[in-house]
Amino acid sequence: PKEDVLAVLLAPPPHAPDPEHPVYGRARHYAQAIAEWVAPPIPWLCEALVMAPGAVSLITGYGGSGKTTLVQHLALAVAPPGGRFLNQYPVRHGSVVHIDQEQGADLTRRRYQRLGLTPDAALTLIATPRWSVGDHETRKYLIQECRGRALVIIDSLIASMGDLLDDEHATGIREPLDRLNEISEASGAVILVIHHSKKDRSDLRT
């Protein structure tokens, strides 16, 4: 009954929470500590795109709109020294890994060749892995891949989530994305996820 549920919710806790317990302590920051904190410089991958380690970067759009090609341009700006994204925006040079579950190895390699990939670029392509970001073993593997990288590309969001997604709005997506955020922050690698949006068929102008 509703009354019983309310009684449980309103009842005083059996004991006071321990402020050092991980649930309470890890994210608790007091005013003095915040005021005295010396913020380190942000390790931008590309400041113009507001891309830095931490929250996952997401590029989304309709199928065939050029998302993956644009991301491959970014990879080729990061992988060789002195590159600029779209020949304009400075980027931090470093190693790139492209995890492709959409195009397949042949098409992705052909596109990198057409975009001017050179043999000395610090780029690795992992094509069509059988994995799911929601899987513990996959996350362990991904942590290893992110170490020492500047950029990690995951193509695509739905393909990498496996059984966690029944549709684009499934609530199961939040937990693996939170894990990706943690991996990015801990490794220093920017994780960029490509998402293919569904077209709105209700409007013929779309």
Side-chain angles (χ1 to χ4, degrees):
K2 184 185 298 184
E3 293 76 12
D4 293 345
V5 175
L6 288 174
V8 171
L9 292 175
L10 295 175
H15 54 78
D18 177 6
E20 299 305 318
H21 189 280
V23 171
Y24 295 97
R26 284 182 181 169
R28 182 172 292 196
H29 304 279
Y30 297 100
Q32 181 176 352
I34 296 172
E36 296 175 353
W37 179 57
V38 179
I42 298 174
W44 295 111
L45 178 76
C46 182
E47 187 172 3
L49 299 181
V50 199
M51 295 180 67
V56 169
S57 297
L58 181 71
I59 181 169
T60 181
Y62 296 148
S65 59
K67 300 179 301 300
T68 303
T69 302
L70 183 68
V71 169
Q72 288 185 254
H73 270 289
L74 176 62
L76 292 185
V78 173
R84 284 176 172 260
F85 180 50
L86 302 180
N87 295 321
Q88 180 175 358
Y89 304 110
V91 296
R92 173 166 52 89
H93 168 65
S95 177
V96 177
V97 62
H98 182 157
I99 302 172
D100 168 51
Q101 294 173 278
E102 289 286 343
Q103 297 187 136
D106 284 359
L107 178 55
T108 305
R109 287 181 294 179
R110 289 173 188 272
R111 283 187 175 177
Y112 272 124
Q113 285 185 345
R114 290 201 300 269
L115 293 171
L117 176 69
T118 57
D120 59 343
L123 184 142
T124 302
L125 170 64
I126 301 173
T128 58
R130 295 172 179 252
W131 73 334
S132 168
V133 174
D135 176 65
H136 179 68
E137 290 300 315
T138 294
R139 287 202 295 267
K140 286 169 47 178
Y141 166 79
L142 187 59
I143 289 170
Q144 295 297 324
E145 284 295 335
C146 286
R147 286 177 176 160
R149 306 284 190 182
L151 175 63
V152 176
I153 299 165
I154 298 177
D155 187 6
S156 67
L157 177 66
I158 291 179
S160 66
M161 293 300 167
D163 296 333
L164 292 172
L165 290 180
D166 294 327
D167 56 63
E168 288 189 53
H169 307 292
T171 56
I173 195 173
R174 180 57 190 263
E175 191 271 340
L177 283 179
D178 287 344
R179 300 293 81 77
L180 289 179
N181 292 347
E182 293 170 359
I183 293 171
S184 174
E185 188 169 1
S187 66
V190 168
I191 298 179
L192 174 59
V193 179
I194 300 174
H195 177 49
H196 305 292
S197 300
K198 292 182 179 178
K199 292 186 178 181
D200 180 4
R201 303 295 184 183
S202 64
D203 185 349
L204 296 180
R205 293 173 298 174
T206 299

